[in-house]
Amino acid sequence: MTNDKKIVVRFPPSPTGLFHMGNARTLLFNYLFAKKNNGRIVLRLEDTDKERSREEYSQDIIDNLKWLGIEPDSLVAIRQSERGPVYKKYLEKMISEGKAYFSKETVVEEGQRDQVIRFKNSNKKIVFNDLIRGDIEFDTTELKDFIIAKSLEEPVYHLAVVVDDYEMGVSHIIRGDDGISNTPRQILIQEAIGAPRPVYAHLPLILTQDRTKLSKRKHGEKVSVTFYRNAGYLPEAVVNFLALIGWNPGDEREIFSKEELIKEFSLDKIQKSGGVFNPERLDWYNGQYIRKIETEKLAKMLLEYLPEEWKKSATENYSYWLKIVELEKNRITKLSDIKEGIGYFFNEPEYTKEMLLWKKEPNMEKTKKHLQEVVKLLSTLSENEFNQDKIKETVWDYADKEGKGNVLWPMRVALTGMEKSPDPFAVAGVLGKEKTIKRLTYAIEKI
């Protein structure tokens, strides 16, 4: 780094709603930058908005930091609501030095104060260097004398963050580029209290696929980390996905561990334009990570997403459950997907006899004959031989001769009651010989 000073960054969410995926990406970039440069990351809850701040939102933030595994150096958050005396000290000093003043206001709307504290603006041009966007210039004249507190006990955002950053030794401010417009006010306050100017890096915002801002107001719970956590996304997948929104290492790699991200991360590889939040891409990442999990570990994780009746059955016959998981782990993209399309493993399938007909052979007698032949062939196998490969080997020649759809379609429907499922050999291998023969026999009787 060009700066020999100890690297300190901060993550300062406002606990006024569920933890936003955009905030999680900002946290991640701060975390990666700090760890790459042997620095520290501080958690600060900006809860001066007493009307909208809630303790459950503070807890949601902390819980999800733990879940993501990208915690600041201390999860004991600094809370602005507890730092009133500190801000008051700075306000009194600024007023005594003529850098701020009590201002009598004309009340024009309900709730407006008749007196506030305003910053005495020197009306000058400010240029600051942004590590992502280069030099940015502002004429502060248009800001006029802006409000920095409603009273000595009630600082507004701009004063509180400048004081906190100064006292916490923050060296780099890495935040969304919607914070650029706040920077000139904050630089003026820094100069007024004698604080050094931090290095700024404003990140491109996360956009939806229609190129609009990803926002709580428009997109609801689907922008919250908790939504994805509850749906069965893995924290490693979410971190990997977020890291590559607006940043890439300059090559074609897509899968990164946290350690690899720390090693590769640099601010100069962040793009200037907004990165797109693509849910399908997140699903792809999550699927990749699910398939890396050892089956026994995954089976325990997936139990939590089953209906109670299935969960009881899976727990009582765990070897059967492991076979189901082994079959389904390549088909699911999130843990909650497991409950979709596996009911036939726990309950007898329900279907009409017409479903057994293959579209190219709508002949009930021929369909019955094919099922009878499949039963005859499978009956020659012992229980120990009854696995996917052996089942396929046993049935394949007959299916190839009579037409694969003609034979395998009614076999699939008889075993699952579904038009789409894993191939019938795999399903039969999980069900075992007894259940497979029983279901095929039932289909024959149904015809």
Side-chain angles (χ1 to χ4, degrees):
M1 295 301 302
T2 55
N3 196 328
D4 294 331
K5 196 171 115 183
K6 175 74 173 173
I7 299 284
V8 180
V9 298
R10 75 317 196 254
F11 178 59
S14 298
T16 55
L18 294 176
F19 187 35
H20 190 291
M21 288 288 269
N23 285 346
R25 201 271 306 252
T26 300
L27 162 67
L28 175 61
F29 284 7
N30 274 277
Y31 175 90
L32 296 176
F33 179 77
K35 297 307 173 189
K36 173 75 175 282
N37 294 289
N38 299 311
R40 293 181 61 247
I41 176 169
V42 180
L43 173 62
R44 184 171 78 217
L45 292 177
E46 298 190 340
D47 57 351
T48 51
D49 185 341
K50 293 175 183 175
E51 291 181 8
R52 295 171 59 224
S53 294
R54 298 279 186 276
E55 183 52 38
E56 65 259 33
Y57 296 142
S58 297
Q59 196 58 51
D60 180 71
I61 291 166
I62 290 168
D63 288 346
N64 280 305
L65 297 186
K66 290 180 182 176
W67 178 73
L68 287 167
I70 48 176
E71 301 115 298
D73 290 290
S74 170
L75 272 174
V76 179
I78 295 160
R79 296 173 183 262
Q80 288 185 334
S81 59
E82 298 170 357
R83 288 173 53 79
V86 176
Y87 307 132
K88 183 177 181 180
K89 178 184 73 174
Y90 280 90
L91 281 167
E92 288 175 334
K93 186 170 187 292
M94 290 172 72
I95 291 168
S96 70
E97 293 174 350
K99 295 172 181 175
Y101 60 93
F102 289 101
S103 170
K104 294 292 184 184
E105 304 290 304
T106 303
V107 177
V108 294
E109 56 185 56
E110 189 177 346
Q112 185 181 343
R113 302 292 180 90
D114 62 359
Q115 179 176 275
V116 296
I117 300 172
R118 289 185 178 270
F119 180 82
K120 189 166 180 55
N121 190 352
S122 56
N123 300 324
K124 64 179 184 177
K125 286 188 177 176
I126 283 178
V127 179
F128 70 92
N129 181 261
D130 187 285
L131 293 182
I132 296 170
R133 300 178 175 278
D135 285 346
I136 298 175
E137 181 176 313
F138 279 97
D139 183 350
T140 66
T141 306
E142 62 192 44
L143 301 178
K144 302 179 181 177
D145 287 359
F146 52 91
I147 297 171
I148 56 172
K150 296 174 184 176
S151 71
L152 286 172
E153 283 74 32
E154 298 170 285
V156 300
Y157 166 78
H158 295 295
L159 179 80
V161 297
V162 169
V163 169
D164 289 342
D165 289 339
Y166 177 35
E167 295 219 334
M168 294 166 198
V170 171
S171 63
H172 291 70
I173 293 176
I174 304 169
R175 61 186 178 188
D177 64 11
D178 51 351
I180 290 177
S181 61
N182 295 332
T183 310
R185 290 180 179 83
Q186 291 165 10
I187 288 175
L188 289 173
I189 296 171
Q190 288 161 11
E191 293 175 350
I193 66 171
R197 183 183 299 186
V199 179
Y200 288 94
H202 286 93
L203 308 172
L205 295 181
I206 297 183
L207 307 175
T208 61
Q209 289 172 290
D210 63 4
R211 310 297 295 183
T212 58
K213 181 182 174 184
L214 190 72
S215 71
K216 295 177 188 177
R217 188 171 300 164
K218 184 175 179 182
H219 303 103
E221 65 173 1
K222 288 189 177 181
V223 304
S224 73
V225 176
T226 296
F227 173 82
Y228 294 94
R229 182 180 175 183
N230 290 342
Y233 288 85
L234 302 175
E236 302 90 339
V238 173
V239 166
N240 197 154
F241 168 72
L242 288 174
L244 275 88
I245 299 180
W247 172 85
N248 73 72
D251 56 38
E252 299 302 312
R253 285 175 296 165
E254 297 179 295
I255 303 295
F256 292 86
S257 67
K258 186 168 67 175
E259 292 69 29
E260 288 168 334
L261 287 172
I262 291 169
K263 181 182 175 184
E264 296 290 341
F265 186 77
S266 66
L267 292 171
D268 59 9
K269 291 179 180 175
I270 292 175
Q271 66 190 39
K272 292 181 175 63
S273 58
V276 173
F277 187 99
N278 183 342
E280 292 175 5
R281 194 73 186 143
L282 176 54
D283 285 348
W284 180 84
Y285 273 109
N286 209 56
Q288 298 300 307
Y289 279 89
I290 284 174
R291 290 180 246 309
K292 288 182 176 184
I293 302 173
E294 191 269 325
T295 299
E296 286 216 23
K297 181 181 178 183
L298 182 61
K300 289 186 177 70
M301 294 166 70
L302 290 171
L303 278 176
E304 300 309 309
Y305 293 87
L306 293 182
E308 281 305 314
E309 180 189 346
W310 297 0
K311 186 176 179 180
K312 183 174 182 290
S313 176
T315 305
E316 289 172 352
N317 190 352
Y318 207 69
S319 60
Y320 181 54
W321 173 234
L322 287 174
K323 288 181 182 177
I324 296 170
V325 172
E326 186 63 40
L327 178 61
E328 293 292 324
K329 72 185 290 186
N330 292 323
R331 294 164 51 82
I332 60 176
T333 57
K334 52 187 181 296
L335 301 183
S336 60
D337 287 346
I338 192 63
K339 61 182 179 287
E340 304 297 332
I342 64 164
Y344 59 85
F345 284 121
F346 297 101
N347 303 305
E348 295 299 318
E350 295 181 7
Y351 55 90
T352 63
K353 67 179 182 180
E354 286 74 22
M355 259 188 83
L356 293 163
L357 295 173
W358 175 236
K359 58 189 174 185
K360 293 183 181 177
E361 185 174 81
N363 184 306
M364 210 58 96
E365 283 308 309
K366 284 187 178 180
T367 298
K368 183 176 182 179
K369 171 179 163 290
H370 296 322
L371 288 170
Q372 287 171 330
E373 187 62 27
V374 170
V375 168
K376 185 177 169 184
L377 290 166
L378 294 182
S379 296
T380 66
L381 297 175
S382 69
E383 190 67 56
N384 288 339
E385 292 178 302
F386 211 81
N387 60 63
Q388 179 178 349
D389 292 340
K390 194 68 177 174
I391 294 165
K392 182 175 182 178
E393 180 187 320
T394 304
V395 173
W396 191 254
D397 286 347
Y398 178 74
D400 196 39
K401 176 180 166 227
E402 297 293 330
K404 289 188 274 292
N406 299 337
V407 177
L408 301 182
W409 175 268
M411 182 181 175
R412 176 198 299 276
V413 173
L415 297 181
T416 69
M418 298 172 66
E419 295 182 357
K420 293 181 180 178
S421 70
D423 78 63
F425 311 122
V427 172
V430 173
L431 288 171
K433 182 177 178 180
E434 183 183 343
K435 282 183 181 175
T436 297
I437 299 294
K438 179 184 174 186
R439 290 187 183 188
L440 292 170
T441 303
Y442 174 77
I444 292 165
E445 292 169 354
K446 200 176 182 77
I447 292 173

